[in-house]
Amino acid sequence: MSTRLEILGDDGEWHEVPGIASVKLDQEEFEIPDSVWPPPAVRQRAREVHEAAVRFMRAYVDTVRPQVEEMSRTFATAARALRSAGLIDEDGRVVRQPDRPAWQSPYGPPPRRR
């Protein structure tokens, strides 16, 4: 098994770096400087917007839940009725009633000459 290191070049392509036996990554190399983060006021506003969005979504779910549950019960009742009528099987697939004798072509009877 060989070790291989590639870096992303300025041209957007990956290039192999020959002769590398090991790589050590230091934590300090990946720390994000404070100058990158937005100011505290912007972070606070982002938190407030996020909390408002979460409150809205919870209220929406609480409002819509009864209607969705009722629809689910209605669909279950309809599925039971279709199963008991023999129109669908236990997996919900349509049960085809034969519309012609088994010996007849699936394309219908042969055309009649006039």
Side-chain angles (χ1 to χ4, degrees), residues 32-99:
I32 301 172
D34 290 336
S35 62
V36 173
W37 296 105
V42 173
R43 289 194 304 251
Q44 177 60 32
R45 182 65 183 141
R47 267 193 295 281
E48 292 169 0
V49 169
H50 176 262
E51 290 168 3
V54 168
R55 283 193 306 272
F56 169 77
M57 291 306 297
R58 286 186 179 145
Y60 177 79
V61 167
D62 291 343
T63 302
V64 174
R65 178 177 284 128
Q67 289 87 358
V68 171
E69 289 171 348
E70 180 61 30
M71 280 190 331
S72 175
R73 287 189 292 273
T74 301
F75 284 131
T77 302
R80 280 192 301 276
L82 290 170
R83 272 194 295 279
S84 67
L87 299 174
I88 62 172
D89 64 12
E90 288 301 316
D91 296 326
R93 289 187 284 248
V94 175
V95 175
R96 294 221 175 256
Q97 298 295 329
D99 58 348

Side-chain angles (χ1 to χ4, degrees), residues 8-13 15:
L8 186 62
D10 293 335
D11 59 355
E13 297 291 325
H15 301 279

